[in-house]
């Protein structure tokens, strides 16, 4: 086996197809989001970030930074170990209580990321529930796919947000057999919402648990930032909610929120939790401060909606093709890997607009796109500059315009 040739050929194949990913050296500037510094080999320039998951700019908020600094000076940098050995602090306990409150659940459990929370929770649920069957939306995140795969449980994939297809699949499994329906509240690549109530009704009809991924909804929707399920007034009917601290709350970490007994089960059995060092107390303290700030600040959510609406109106006027979603995620479809990268390069290098290309396997081939994620901190001037940059780039590269 020529190992070097195998790895080299694999990388060259990605480069030839245009699917090789390049990490841009972008430095965030504390207190100046969405401004950032682009560090290339030739020059350093100020740019405007339009593709961050820090949806509300909380990762730069002085209130959050102060909470982290206070905690770090008091408790140090690391957590000291796994939660079981030496890695549980009061900050972890308070954070889990805050999470439970916004999701109206009895208990919560923190993980190092939303990905790990999904993988660890789904894999242990599916492997321990005897003859468990998963019913998973075809557009679910890679962490969900991996968690289900690792459980080795039987799985059924239903067409995206297709209630009829899901019911057809549910009918194939006995009513007494353990079942888990897994779906997201808002899908990150297409920006569309899920009809959660319809899924909950099916779950009750066929004796299934519901597992909802709210990572792109928590903090942004609902009366207290509990997510899309809270906005649709159905959150109390969901059995298990997965969320993140890394998007609207601006930090790092993930969690699941549910009944005391389900959380205790995951805590007690999941290797992905048991054998992983806990997040530092300073990060937990920052997350507590962020959740408390966001949940009572409806103005942030209203401002985000205003910015999204304004961008969509201007994209329509400019004939730039985008998926007309009702969410905060605005996908601009290009449909070609190499053109998508060219467009992103042009926007960054000529217009100081940072939008990363999104290619396969994140989206299907032929659906390559740029994805705009506005924040309340993007100014109207920044929006005008974004639209003008897109118009110029579309003309220069002769990209397809909206029909």
């Amino acid at each position: 086996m020529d190992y070097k040739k195998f790895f080299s050929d694999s990388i060259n194949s990605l480069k030839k197809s245009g699917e090789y990913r390049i990490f841009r050296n972008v430095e965030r500037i504390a207190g100046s989001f969405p401004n950032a510094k682009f560090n290339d080999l030739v020059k350093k320039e100020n740019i405007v970030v339009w593709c961050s998951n820090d949806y509300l700019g909380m990762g730069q908020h002085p209130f959050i930074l102060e909470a982290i600094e206070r905690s770090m000076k008091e408790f140090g940098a690391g957590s000291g170990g796994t939660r079981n050995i030496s890695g549980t602090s009061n900050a972890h306990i308070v954070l889990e209580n805050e999470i439970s409150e916004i999701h109206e659940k009895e208990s919560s459990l923190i993980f190092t990321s939303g990905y790990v929370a999904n993988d660890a929770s789904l894999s242990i649920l599916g492997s321990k529930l005897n003859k468990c069957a998963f019913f998973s939306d075809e557009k679910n995140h890679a962490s969900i796919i991996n968690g289900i795969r690792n459980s080795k449980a039987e799985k059924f994939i239903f067409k995206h947000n297709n209630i009829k297809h899901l019911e057809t699949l549910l009918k194939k499994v006995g009513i007494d057999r353990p079942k888990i329906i897994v779906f997201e509240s808002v899908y990150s690549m297409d920006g569309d919402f899920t009809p959660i109530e319809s899924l909950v009704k099916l779950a009750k009809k066929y004796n299934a648990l519901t597992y909802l991924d709210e990572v792109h909804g928590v903090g942004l929707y609902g009366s207290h930032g509990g997510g899309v399920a809270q906005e649709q007034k159905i959150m109390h009917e969901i059995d298990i909610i997965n969320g993140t601290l890394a998007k609207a709350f601006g930090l790092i970490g993930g969690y699941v929120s549910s009944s005391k007994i389900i959380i205790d089960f995951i805590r007690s059995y999941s290797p992905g939790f048991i054998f992983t060092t806990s997040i530092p107390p300073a990060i937990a303290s920052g997350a507590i401060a962020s959740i408390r700030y966001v949940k009572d600040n409806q103005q942030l959510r209203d401002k985000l909606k205003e910015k999204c609406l304004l961008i969509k109106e201007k994209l329509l006027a400019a004939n730039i093709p985008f998926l007309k979603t009702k969410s905060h995620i605005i996908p601009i479809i290009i449909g070609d890997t190499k053109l998508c990268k060219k467009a992103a390069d042009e926007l960054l290098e000529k217009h100081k607009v940072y939008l990363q290309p999104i290619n396969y396997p994140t989206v299907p081939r032929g659906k390559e796109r740029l994805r705009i994620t506005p924040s309340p901190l993007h100014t109207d001037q920044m929006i005008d500059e974004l639209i003008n940059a897109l118009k110029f780039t579309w003309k220069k590269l002769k990209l397809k315009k909206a029909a």
Side-chain angles (χ1 to χ4, degrees), residues 332-402:
I332 299 179
I333 306 301
I334 293 178
D336 180 276
T337 303
K338 294 178 181 178
L339 281 176
C340 197
K341 185 180 183 305
K342 283 183 180 180
D345 290 344
E346 178 75 20
L347 287 165
L348 180 60
E349 293 163 11
K350 299 292 171 53
H351 304 278
K352 301 178 184 179
V353 167
Y354 181 47
L355 278 170
Q356 269 290 74
I358 298 175
N359 299 324
Y360 179 84
T362 308
V363 294
R365 290 188 176 96
K367 300 291 184 180
E368 292 82 3
R369 65 196 64 188
L370 304 174
R371 188 186 63 157
I372 300 172
T373 53
S375 79
L377 303 178
H378 284 92
T379 65
D380 289 356
Q381 181 181 340
M382 288 176 179
I383 292 173
D384 286 337
E385 290 169 354
L386 167 69
I387 299 300
N388 288 333
L390 288 168
K391 286 165 68 174
F392 185 91
T393 301
W394 248 247
K395 184 176 180 180
K396 181 176 180 179
L397 299 182
K398 298 178 181 179
L399 299 173
K400 290 181 182 178
K401 291 197 171 186

Side-chain angles (χ1 to χ4, degrees), residues 25 31 46 50 55 60 64 74 140 143 164 172 209 215 257 263 276 292 300 329 355 370:
N25 187 343
N46 287 326
W50 281 101
Y55 293 134
Q60 313 262 320
I64 312 306
E74 188 172 358
N140 277 341
S143 59
K164 288 184 178 178
K172 295 180 178 181
L209 292 173
V215 295
S257 193
I263 292 300
T276 302
R292 287 175 176 172
L300 270 178
I329 295 167
L355 278 170
L370 304 174

Side-chain angles (χ1 to χ4, degrees), residues 113-127 134 136-155 157 182 184 211 213 242 270 272:
S113 73
Y115 188 108
V116 174
N118 270 336
D119 189 1
S121 300
L122 290 168
S123 61
I124 202 64
L125 288 167
S127 63
F134 280 108
S136 180
D137 189 290
E138 66 178 345
K139 291 192 176 181
N140 277 341
H141 190 261
S143 59
I144 294 173
I145 295 169
N146 210 47
I148 292 172
R149 182 186 295 123
N150 288 340
S151 77
K152 295 182 170 57
E154 186 175 13
K155 64 179 181 291
I157 309 301
V182 190
E184 300 180 34
Y211 186 107
D213 183 310
N242 166 274
S270 173

Side-chain angles (χ1 to χ4, degrees), residues 11 44 56 84 92 117 174 244-245 263 266 310 353 363 400:
I11 294 299
K44 295 186 177 183
L56 299 176
N84 184 54
H92 294 110
T244 185
L245 304 170
I263 292 300
I266 295 170
L310 180 59
V353 167
V363 294
K400 290 181 182 178

Side-chain angles (χ1 to χ4, degrees), residues 89-107:
S89 70
N90 189 60
H92 294 110
I93 295 166
V94 173
L95 176 55
E96 286 170 342
N97 289 337
E98 288 289 339
I99 291 167
S100 298
E101 184 179 323
I102 62 168
H103 288 301
E104 302 169 23
K105 298 299 177 193
E106 292 178 341
S107 188

Side-chain angles (χ1 to χ4, degrees), residues 276-308:
T276 302
T277 298
S278 60
I279 63 173
I283 296 298
S285 297
I288 293 165
S290 186
I291 291 172
R292 287 175 176 172
Y293 183 89
V294 168
K295 72 179 181 181
D296 293 325
N297 199 330
Q298 185 59 38
Q299 288 181 330
L300 270 178
R301 289 183 280 280
D302 292 341
K303 192 71 173 176
L304 176 61
K305 290 175 184 177
E306 288 175 16
K307 297 297 182 182
C308 291

Side-chain angles (χ1 to χ4, degrees), residues 162-216:
N162 191 317
I163 306 303
K164 288 184 178 178
H165 186 226
L166 173 57
E167 183 162 23
T168 299
L169 295 175
L170 284 165
K171 288 178 179 177
K172 295 180 178 181
V173 177
I175 194 72
D176 293 327
R177 186 175 165 189
K179 295 175 285 294
I180 306 175
I181 302 172
V182 190
F183 53 98
E184 300 180 34
S185 62
V186 54
Y187 284 82
S188 63
M189 289 300 115
D190 291 343
D192 55 332
F193 292 116
T194 292
I196 299 174
E197 186 175 5
S198 298
L199 288 167
V200 167
K201 286 180 179 177
L202 271 188
K204 290 182 181 298
K205 182 177 178 181
Y206 291 95
N207 191 29
L209 292 173
T210 46
Y211 186 107
L212 171 62
D213 183 310
E214 277 273 24
V215 295
H216 290 277

